[in-house]
Amino acid sequence: MGLPRLVCAFLLAACCCCPHVAGVPGEAEQPAPELVEVEVGSTALLKCGLSQSQGNLSHVDWFSVHKEKRIPIFRVRQGQGQSEPGEYQHRLSLQDRGATLALTQVTPHDERIFLCQGKRPRSQEHRIQLRVYKAPEEPNIQVNALGIPVDSKEPEEVATCVGRNGYPIPQVIWYKNGRPLKEEKNRVHIQSSQTVESSGLYTLQSILKAQLVKEDKDAQFYCELNYRLPSGNHMKESREVTVPVFYPTEKVWLEVEPVGMLKEGDRVEIRCLADGNPPPHFSISKQNPSTREAEEETTNDNGVLVLEPAQKEHSGLYECQGLDLDTMISLPSEPQELLVNYVSDVRVSPAAPERQEGSSLTLTCEAESSQDLEFQWLREETGQVLERGPVLQLHDLKREAGGGYRCVASVPSIPGLNRTQLVNVAVFGPPWMAFKERKVWVKENMMLNLSCEASGHPRPTISWNVNGTTSEQDQDPQRVLSTLNVLVTPELLETGVECTASSDLGKNTSVLFLELVNLTTLTPDSNTTTGLSTSTASPHTRANSTSTERKLPEPESQGVVIVAVIVCILVLAVLGAVLYFLYKKGKLPCGRSGKQEM
């Protein structure tokens, strides 16, 4: 045992090339290589760890160690560097006065040991381990769109995660609802593989397989890639995905929209729902109130029964049937009562009341509803609320009381559910005119449209005192509007136009005075109109003191008024001029001190 030790010691001292004999005390072990870490594409700085004296760095050889074989890549002679032919020929350069060798455009293939060796005063070498890193791209996750049945006997593919172009191979971790997944026999299996690209980078593919349950229908799955860079450990996460989970139906039920109390006229949708995936085939039936038998209703393509507009006849008992097409098992829902609230047609009695002036009238309103009703009476012309309740009492009727009254039957608990009925009250009396007299501005030889309105019960008829084209239009059962189309002539300007309303109880007349238009003097008032038509006053502003005709005074001439105004202006102008002239001559004192500034 002593002879080999002596021989080895001798050879080590002579050549420094004797291999290390393990377990022999007193022998120096080869130091671990210096570690240099860089990212792909960057520049690696390889510092030679020899003595920094100029003599030691003037003669240096650089090698790359690949498969335990030294390959010369660079040499330094007298401080000048020269690349050796090969893969590093164009990527090496000297820096730091020859103490550092720079390797540019680092690739994964450069991950190896580099060695520098000097020859003075005796052979020395320094080893450098180059580590290369590259962050993978964002992980791409693809979910199994076909879905997974819960009754599967073995784990099914949930999703696939791919991380491209990383170095070294990243580590993948799968998560469900934020919790990491681990291999579990017959429950969870993770299958990973990697591919080496021509660039030396790795593409990692990981497939998650699992047995899922019904509660996993909303579970969020994602993958995480963990990798290292010179700066430390990092990770990238994929987006979250949900895999379709198929499970049998256990319960079927009905859903009605809108939620709450329904009323006639609403759009109502009745749909079936189930807790299975895929949902079963649905059908909706309604119980016949006469036979108590279920009758299938017609639904749209989505299996939804649409009631539009909903009517009270749609009220009843509905039920849904869900048919599983795989097992051909039909599941019924619980019957559900549907109530469409309504208000029937409103009835008013008497339906067409007629009364004499001074008498009384009682109007009664009736209606039916699925809910409690409230009644109120409104005046049709004004919208004024006259009474809250089904009965309206009218006493000491006047002519003004004639016209429309509306009964409104409503359900306070359901906004918008109401019905109304209009009744016209007729009060006997001679005709009333919309106006007694009116002035109309016209042009000679123009076609003129004149209108005249009258009311009364019985409804009057209207006649004109001049020839022309006439037409009548009923405004309501007691009111009529007559229109006259006539040519303006000098004779018509002189006589004016009269319209007379007549009935069995009397007659009344309105007069329209025609005046030629003069734009400089035209100042129409509330009793004048211009153009081709005349205005008619509201029936509530009628001037009807009697039902007999009376002679109206002739209108004052507009020309006389204009002349009088002009004369007054001229007189004032002359008087002012005289006073100013006297003031300038000093003959008109303006105060105690004589002249004053004007």
Side-chain angles (χ1 to χ4, degrees):
M1 295 296 291
L3 181 60
R5 294 181 182 177
L6 293 174
V7 174
C8 184
F10 174 77
L11 294 176
L12 180 62
C15 302
C16 295
C17 58
C18 179
H20 171 64
V21 180
V24 179
E27 293 187 0
E29 295 183 359
Q30 189 176 27
E34 178 187 354
L35 182 63
V36 175
E37 296 180 318
V38 294
E39 291 191 47
V40 169
S42 62
T43 298
L45 300 178
L46 309 176
K47 295 185 178 181
C48 188
L50 302 176
S51 175
Q52 298 298 312
S53 65
Q54 186 64 32
N56 290 342
L57 297 177
S58 63
H59 191 288
V60 178
D61 291 313
W62 283 89
F63 302 90
S64 70
V65 180
H66 182 58
K67 295 182 179 180
E68 299 183 357
K69 182 180 178 182
R70 294 187 180 189
I71 303 172
I73 59 172
F74 200 84
R75 65 177 182 268
V76 181
R77 299 293 184 268
Q78 303 298 324
Q80 300 297 319
Q82 177 65 44
S83 293
E84 298 288 354
E87 60 177 319
Y88 293 106
Q89 183 175 358
H90 303 292
R91 294 196 289 146
L92 296 173
S93 62
L94 278 180
Q95 292 186 7
D96 194 18
R97 297 182 180 180
T100 302
L101 184 65
L103 173 61
T104 61
Q105 296 298 317
V106 173
T107 70
H109 300 296
D110 297 328
E111 184 169 274
R112 60 186 64 180
I113 291 179
F114 292 85
L115 185 148
C116 69
Q117 187 178 56
K119 292 189 177 181
R120 293 182 183 180
R122 54 189 177 88
S123 294
Q124 299 180 12
E125 66 179 27
H126 179 71
R127 296 190 303 158
I128 302 170
Q129 174 66 62
L130 181 62
R131 296 289 186 193
V132 181
Y133 301 94
K134 167 69 168 62
E137 299 173 5
E138 294 292 331
N140 180 31
I141 188 170
Q142 295 295 330
V143 70
N144 176 10
L146 299 179
I148 299 175
V150 296
D151 55 1
S152 176
K153 302 300 182 183
E154 57 186 25
E156 298 279 349
E157 180 179 331
V158 176
T160 301
C161 180
V162 178
R164 301 184 183 279
N165 298 323
Y167 192 89
I169 303 172
Q171 180 188 10
V172 63
I173 301 177
W174 283 94
Y175 289 84
K176 183 180 80 170
N177 296 331
R179 295 178 177 270
L181 294 173
K182 296 181 179 181
E183 286 275 351
E184 184 179 346
K185 187 177 180 180
N186 298 327
R187 295 289 297 172
V188 179
H189 176 59
I190 300 173
Q191 179 182 337
S192 298
S193 62
Q194 55 273 347
T195 303
V196 182
E197 308 292 343
S198 60
S199 60
L201 301 176
Y202 289 102
T203 293
L204 173 68
Q205 177 178 281
S206 180
I207 300 175
L208 172 64
K209 296 183 178 181
Q211 271 196 329
L212 302 183
V213 294
K214 180 179 178 180
E215 289 71 21
D216 293 325
K217 60 186 177 67
D218 299 318
Q220 299 287 326
F221 295 90
Y222 69 94
C223 63
E224 176 186 281
L225 297 181
N226 290 283
Y227 57 94
R228 176 174 169 75
L229 295 178
S231 58
N233 294 323
H234 300 267
M235 67 89 174
K236 290 183 177 180
E237 294 179 344
S238 72
R239 61 185 176 91
E240 294 182 329
V241 295
T242 301
V243 63
V245 179
F246 302 127
Y247 44 90
T249 297
E250 298 176 355
K251 183 180 178 181
V252 176
W253 67 94
L254 277 173
E255 186 177 85
V256 179
E257 291 183 357
V259 178
M261 302 187 74
L262 307 176
K263 65 179 183 296
E264 282 192 320
D266 286 345
R267 173 187 169 89
V268 179
E269 293 185 358
I270 304 176
R271 58 170 48 87
C272 292
L273 298 174
D275 61 354
N277 187 34
H281 173 74
F282 294 120
S283 61
I284 300 176
S285 59
K286 178 177 180 287
Q287 186 184 80
N288 188 313
S290 302
T291 64
R292 301 290 182 178
E293 295 291 332
E295 298 177 353
E296 186 171 343
E297 299 287 329
T298 302
T299 60
N300 60 17
D301 295 338
N302 298 322
V304 179
L305 176 59
V306 179
L307 309 177
E308 185 180 19
Q311 304 293 332
K312 69 176 182 178
E313 291 78 11
H314 292 139
S315 297
L317 201 62
Y318 288 83
E319 186 181 82
C320 177
Q321 293 283 339
L323 176 63
D324 191 323
L325 298 180
D326 291 331
T327 63
M328 299 306 294
I329 297 177
S330 181
L331 291 177
S333 70
E334 290 290 334
Q336 183 168 335
E337 184 75 28
L338 182 73
L339 176 60
V340 179
N341 293 285
Y342 69 93
V343 175
S344 69
D345 291 336
V346 177
R347 303 177 301 279
V348 175
S349 60
E354 296 178 327
R355 293 293 186 274
Q356 298 289 340
E357 283 192 272
S359 63
S360 298
L361 174 63
T362 300
L363 297 175
T364 303
C365 187
E366 296 178 330
E368 289 79 38
S369 174
S370 55
Q371 304 289 335
D372 293 336
L373 284 174
E374 284 188 358
F375 295 90
Q376 62 179 1
W377 284 94
L378 308 177
R379 189 68 160 112
E380 181 68 9
E381 288 80 1
T382 63
Q384 178 186 2
V385 178
L386 303 177
E387 184 68 46
R388 298 188 182 276
V391 178
L392 175 64
Q393 297 279 354
L394 300 175
H395 301 286
D396 192 18
L397 292 174
K398 304 296 183 183
R399 294 189 182 190
E400 293 81 357
Y405 294 82
R406 185 172 296 276
C407 174
V408 180
S410 61
V411 177
S413 59
I414 306 178
L417 181 55
N418 61 74
R419 289 285 186 96
T420 70
Q421 180 61 47
L422 177 66
V423 60
N424 283 287
V425 175
V427 179
F428 289 102
W432 284 4
M433 307 305 294
F435 58 89
K436 199 64 181 174
E437 61 183 42
R438 183 171 295 282
K439 186 180 295 183
V440 182
W441 297 96
V442 299
K443 292 183 180 179
E444 194 170 356
N445 297 322
M446 69 179 289
M447 293 302 297
L448 181 64
N449 284 330
L450 300 174
S451 62
C452 185
E453 183 180 344
S455 63
H457 185 72
R459 186 177 67 82
T461 58
I462 295 178
S463 60
W464 299 83
N465 68 333
V466 296
N467 294 326
T469 303
T470 61
S471 62
E472 282 192 4
Q473 180 181 357
D474 292 337
Q475 303 295 93
D476 57 44
Q478 285 86 43
R479 188 158 53 103
V480 62
L481 177 68
S482 178
T483 302
L484 171 68
N485 186 263
V486 66
L487 178 66
V488 178
T489 63
E491 294 78 8
L492 197 64
L493 290 169
E494 188 71 26
T495 61
V497 179
E498 292 183 0
C499 68
T500 301
S502 305
S503 72
D504 294 341
L505 300 181
K507 62 180 180 178
N508 212 336
T509 301
S510 290
V511 181
L512 296 99
F513 300 106
L514 307 183
E515 294 287 345
L516 289 177
V517 173
N518 186 336
L519 296 179
T520 60
T521 61
L522 181 60
T523 56
D525 55 27
S526 61
N527 289 322
T528 64
T529 59
T530 61
L532 300 180
S533 63
T534 62
S535 299
T536 57
S538 168
H540 304 290
T541 59
R542 300 167 183 158
N544 294 273
S545 57
T546 65
S547 60
T548 58
E549 299 183 26
R550 63 187 180 89
K551 185 67 175 178
L552 298 176
E554 292 293 330
E556 184 179 356
S557 173
Q558 184 75 15
V560 174
V561 176
I562 296 173
V563 171
V565 171
I566 294 174
V567 170
C568 290
I569 292 173
L570 291 175
V571 170
L572 290 174
V574 172
L575 180 60
V578 171
L579 292 174
Y580 183 70
F581 176 77
L582 294 175
Y583 166 74
K584 282 295 186 179
K585 293 296 185 179
K587 298 181 180 182
L588 183 64
C590 293
R592 297 179 180 178
S593 59
K595 294 183 180 180
Q596 295 181 357
E597 290 294 331
M598 295 186 66

